[in-house]
């Protein structure tokens, strides 16, 4: 199983979307871990896997909207 530091997520409550960025180049086990985590913890959310640049953009955009 992959360690939690090999990926990061941002949860968007309003749209029910989980934005996930995979931080490692070695995808062995990471996708299985993410899928299992998503299905058990956030089954009502849609999941989107994005690049680091898009992940940071989504987080900043959401934080600006909350202010």
């Amino acid at each position: 199983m992959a360690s939690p530091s090999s990926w990061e997520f941002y949860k968007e409550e309003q749209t029910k979307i989980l934005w996930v960025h995979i931080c490692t180049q070695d995808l062995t086990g990471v996708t299985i871990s993410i899928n299992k985590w998503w299905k058990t913890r956030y089954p009502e959310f849609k999941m989107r896997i994005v690049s680091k640049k898009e992940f940071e953009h989504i987080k900043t955009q959401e934080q600006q909207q909350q202010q």
Side-chain angles (χ1 to χ4, degrees), residues 9-59:
F9 76 97
Y10 181 74
K11 183 172 62 169
E12 214 171 75
E13 290 286 343
Q14 189 175 18
T15 57
K16 296 285 188 197
I17 295 178
L18 285 173
W19 298 96
V20 178
H21 169 252
I22 299 174
C23 306
T24 183
Q25 295 296 327
D26 181 20
L27 299 180
T28 308
V30 174
T31 53
I32 294 170
S33 296
I34 291 172
N35 195 40
K36 186 176 181 179
W37 165 82
W38 167 47
K39 296 281 185 180
T40 56
R41 274 199 84 189
Y42 300 104
E44 69 279 0
F45 281 71
K46 295 178 184 175
M47 181 174 56
R48 301 288 183 258
I49 296 179
V50 295
S51 67
K52 178 69 173 176
K53 185 177 179 180
E54 189 173 353
F55 183 79
E56 292 300 327
H57 176 73
I58 302 257
K59 279 176 47 176

